[in-house]
Amino acid sequence: MGAGCSALCLPASSSLIAFAPKTIAVSNSSTPTSNYKPKYSSPFAPNTILFSRPHLRTPHRSMDLSSSSSPVPSSSLLPVGCGRSGELEEARDVATPGHGSGARGVPPGLLEKLVYDALVWCSLHGLVVGDKSVQRSGTDPGIGLVHAPFALLPMPFPEGYWRQACELAPIFNELVDRVSLDGKFLQDSLSRTKKVDAFTGRLLDIHSKMLEMNKREDIRLGLHRSDYMLDAETNLLFQIELNTISSSFAGLSCLVSELHRNLINHYGKDLELDSRRVPGNTVVSRYAEALAKAWNEYNNSSAVVMLVVQTEERNMYDQHWLCVVLREMHGVASIRKSLAEIDAEGQVLPDGTLIVGGQTVAVVYFRAGYSPNDYPSESEWRARLLMEQSNAIKCPSISYHLVGTKKIQQELAKPNVLERFLENENDIAKLRKCFAGLWSLDNIDVVKSAIERPELYVLKPQREGGGNNIYGDRVREILIRLQQEGSEELATYILMQRIFPTASCAYLVREGICHQDHAISELGIYGAYLRNKDKVIMNDQCGYLMRTKVSSSNEGGVAAGFAVLDGIYLT
């Protein structure tokens, strides 16, 4: 799943330097690489970017998304901390570019080859999505394919912060599980939000029904992604959000990492880059492993894993990669059903077995259901309740889903709240270190500050999926309106500290067009957690997702057209 303002918060003395994107248009002909001549739509012309100190800074806009020749990396490509670190240590002395230097100064002739070869690689290796201009591309596989938006070269990222983010994943996994068991905490924390937010209210109603039934989820599976940005002002890694439902791009993110390794293996000498500094990405195989282990715990060899999907899904191939690995590596079958189809075809037997379309469902894996748009009628809500009432393993359960709301994120950041759920002081300190400022709108002083300096804050509603956050002058306007109205709607939002990441020069490729621009990135770390009663079967960091967008963009969704998939180059 698993999402600025135009005003940039910079010191008054900051100098202004103008830049503009260079664009490469790639033709659809089969011209060989050696003769391939992209068309430049415009010369290198200005597009304002603001500099502060020696490097670019631009305020945070959170990014929510709506991938070697093999989709499953080998053991030599394991993430740092999970595989062979000796290669990385050796590679550090070979090529460690400054921030963004890997994307600067690429000769035009080499750039043409890189773009051409990258587009061929994407087409041959399944780094694809449905083409929005083709009507059936979101419903019928094989129709209207186009390469997924991607960064031509991986984004430099400091290895120390990378390791920090990876180490946090198992702690957040455990925290989600602990919080999910405290039904009173979830209900109390979201009680005011429920009164004014119908969607959160419906989720809480289902949760209440499960509490009334004393419904126990003995087998609990979480496939999470925690998203971070590196703040240039404080040199701290801050969490943007924790996604507990529909953490997407497990399949395609692996392919992007392999694309970058492939390009650097071929052109690394000219680029002065070393492919060993691109960490391997195992998330698709690790997520498949987690689903397979959950299926095994259910202990019914004829049962299936059911993906709950949207009726139209241009990102279906990311999901299919996971299902292919699940089938080919673990022998587990999967089916795809929309919420409406589950309502029409589903039933729960007296013993709690979930049957959909005549098949027993062992694991329900949600790739939909996180947005009000996924529930256009009562049919979809009936399907959600039906699944929760069953003994199928839900990923996520309604409790896990609620833990991922913005309000719970803000509650957990309050003093002494983490201690309610975790005992290890070191783990608590690590989590607190990555928390950005988070406040409810009951905090009068913070609201006043946000009205006076809206560029320093982000106003967040209880929504997933991107395009929902509020920035800049709109923060001031909405806060003033809500205060004047004395509206209960205040409870639907939280305020978050604005993060100011460093921007780097990058080449962003979308629909065969390569744009050179200054960009910022958001790092997502995937985690998997599986528990059967008191036994923790899996609690691991599984891989990563880097999303990059032009620094002037207010939004960051890949599927929505704002961001691209990226990889990491450890520095």
Side-chain angles (χ1 to χ4, degrees):
M1 181 200 47
C5 131
S6 59
L8 302 184
C9 179
L10 297 172
S13 60
S14 298
S15 58
L16 304 183
I17 302 179
F19 286 91
K22 184 186 291 181
T23 303
I24 300 174
V26 179
S27 71
N28 294 323
S29 71
S30 57
T31 310
T33 306
S34 58
N35 299 322
Y36 170 61
K37 300 293 184 185
K39 301 174 184 178
Y40 287 81
S41 63
S42 63
F44 196 70
N47 180 26
T48 302
I49 300 291
L50 301 183
F51 277 75
S52 173
R53 300 178 184 171
H55 49 248
L56 288 161
R57 288 199 306 139
T58 184
H60 142 257
R61 295 95 168 172
S62 63
M63 302 184 192
D64 291 301
L65 299 177
S66 55
S67 306
S68 173
S69 58
S70 169
V72 186
S74 67
S75 59
S76 65
L77 304 181
L78 290 174
V80 176
C82 300
R84 300 189 301 179
S85 60
E87 276 191 339
L88 295 173
E89 295 298 327
E90 180 183 345
R92 184 183 289 105
D93 297 328
V94 178
T96 305
H99 197 92
S101 62
R104 291 187 184 129
V106 180
L110 178 58
L111 184 60
E112 295 165 8
K113 293 178 181 179
L114 284 168
V115 173
Y116 185 89
D117 286 1
L119 292 172
V120 170
W121 196 98
C122 290
S123 301
L124 295 179
H125 293 83
L127 182 46
V128 296
V129 294
D131 186 343
K132 61 185 177 184
S133 66
V134 178
Q135 185 175 6
R136 293 164 54 201
S137 66
T139 55
D140 300 336
I143 303 296
L145 304 183
V146 64
H147 72 85
F150 65 92
L152 188 62
L153 295 171
M155 179 63 69
F157 197 82
E159 185 175 342
Y161 293 107
W162 155 254
R163 291 184 182 276
Q164 177 191 348
C166 291
E167 290 171 1
L168 288 168
I171 308 173
F172 273 117
N173 289 343
E174 185 67 35
L175 177 65
V176 170
D177 188 66
R178 299 275 187 96
V179 176
S180 75
L181 298 177
D182 194 332
K184 186 177 187 304
F185 175 79
L186 292 173
Q187 288 285 333
D188 290 349
S189 298
L190 292 165
S191 59
R192 288 187 59 204
T193 304
K194 177 180 180 178
K195 296 176 182 177
V196 288
D197 185 332
F199 177 65
T200 302
R202 293 297 296 265
L203 296 176
L204 281 169
D205 287 343
I206 293 175
H207 182 251
S208 294
K209 287 184 173 69
M210 298 306 103
L211 293 177
E212 291 168 6
M213 293 171 55
N214 197 27
K215 180 74 166 60
R216 294 175 57 88
E217 300 291 339
D218 289 333
I219 306 174
R220 302 189 292 277
L221 173 64
L223 298 179
H224 309 140
R225 195 188 69 237
S226 184
D227 296 333
Y228 304 91
M229 277 186 170
L230 182 55
D231 184 50
E233 187 74 12
T234 61
N235 282 325
L236 292 174
L237 187 73
F238 285 132
Q239 185 187 55
I240 304 301
E241 65 180 351
L242 177 61
N243 301 279
T244 60
I245 183 171
S246 189
S247 299
S248 60
F249 289 106
L252 298 191
S253 63
C254 291
L255 292 175
V256 173
S257 301
E258 290 306 293
L259 166 65
H260 287 156
R261 290 173 73 103
N262 180 275
L263 292 175
I264 294 173
N265 279 334
H266 284 89
Y267 300 104
K269 191 170 292 186
D270 295 323
L271 295 168
E272 298 182 349
L273 298 174
D274 188 330
S275 64
R276 291 172 296 180
R277 301 304 299 168
V278 179
N281 199 348
T282 60
V283 59
V284 70
S285 59
R286 298 306 310 281
Y287 265 22
E289 177 189 354
L291 288 166
K293 286 184 174 181
W295 175 87
N296 189 61
E297 291 297 312
Y298 188 81
N299 197 27
N300 183 336
S301 60
S302 65
V304 299
V305 171
M306 180 174 70
L307 276 70
V308 181
V309 298
Q310 295 174 335
T311 53
E312 289 196 31
E313 178 57 87
R314 292 179 56 243
N315 193 33
M316 72 171 78
Y317 304 101
D318 175 62
Q319 301 166 3
H320 283 303
W321 271 121
L322 185 57
C323 293
V324 166
V325 177
L326 184 63
R327 182 181 68 244
E328 295 188 355
M329 289 189 67
H330 304 282
V332 178
S334 62
I335 60 174
R336 296 167 59 85
K337 296 289 182 180
S338 69
L339 286 167
E341 288 172 330
I342 294 167
D343 179 51
E345 303 173 18
Q347 61 174 319
V348 175
L349 301 183
D351 65 355
T353 300
L354 176 63
I355 305 292
V356 178
Q359 294 180 284
T360 300
V361 176
V363 181
V364 177
Y365 174 40
F366 285 91
R367 291 298 295 264
Y370 54 84
S371 164
N373 296 332
D374 292 331
Y375 301 85
S377 71
E378 285 302 308
S379 172
E380 289 77 15
W381 285 113
R382 285 195 301 268
R384 184 65 187 269
L385 178 60
L386 181 79
M387 290 182 284
E388 291 297 332
Q389 290 171 329
S390 78
N391 64 14
I393 302 164
K394 274 77 69 177
C395 182
S397 66
I398 190 67
S399 297
Y400 270 42
H401 185 170
L402 291 172
V403 175
T405 60
K406 305 297 188 296
K407 179 61 180 174
I408 297 300
Q409 182 185 7
Q410 179 256 314
E411 288 291 323
L412 291 172
K414 287 182 176 180
N416 303 316
V417 176
L418 286 178
E419 286 80 357
R420 178 170 175 173
F421 303 104
L422 301 175
E423 299 84 26
N424 188 297
E425 293 181 1
N426 289 332
D427 288 349
I428 291 171
K430 288 177 181 178
L431 294 185
R432 283 231 170 86
K433 185 178 180 181
C434 78
F435 284 168
L438 293 161
W439 305 274
S440 74
L441 299 195
D442 293 333
N443 191 316
I444 298 174
D445 292 336
V446 172
V447 170
K448 179 181 178 182
S449 175
I451 290 173
E452 294 173 351
R453 298 289 304 278
E455 71 276 9
L456 299 181
Y457 297 87
V458 181
L459 190 61
K460 291 188 169 187
Q462 308 301 314
R463 291 291 180 270
E464 303 296 332
N468 299 300
N469 296 335
I470 299 161
Y471 303 89
D473 289 339
R474 286 199 64 221
V475 172
R476 176 190 289 120
E477 292 167 5
I478 290 176
L479 290 177
I480 291 174
R481 176 179 63 79
L482 293 177
Q483 280 191 333
Q484 290 175 344
E485 295 174 355
S487 174
E488 286 290 328
E489 193 182 346
L490 286 165
T492 66
Y493 296 97
I494 66 166
L495 274 169
M496 181 175 177
Q497 167 191 349
R498 193 90 175 257
I499 298 170
F500 294 80
T502 299
S504 300
C505 185
Y507 294 99
L508 313 180
V509 185
R510 181 184 293 276
E511 296 180 351
I513 309 295
C514 180
H515 305 272
Q516 181 184 345
D517 211 327
H518 287 91
I520 58 174
S521 296
E522 182 171 313
L523 171 65
I525 299 294
Y526 293 98
Y529 187 90
L530 176 62
R531 186 182 193 114
N532 190 343
K533 297 181 180 177
D534 293 332
K535 181 183 178 183
V536 176
I537 299 164
M538 186 174 185
N539 182 14
D540 292 329
Q541 176 267 122
C542 297
Y544 64 92
L545 168 70
M546 188 71 108
R547 287 160 296 172
T548 294
K549 69 182 186 66
V550 295
S551 56
S552 57
S553 173
N554 284 344
E555 291 296 339
V558 170
F562 302 108
V564 303
L565 298 169
D566 203 347
I568 296 173
Y569 191 92
L570 294 177
T571 61

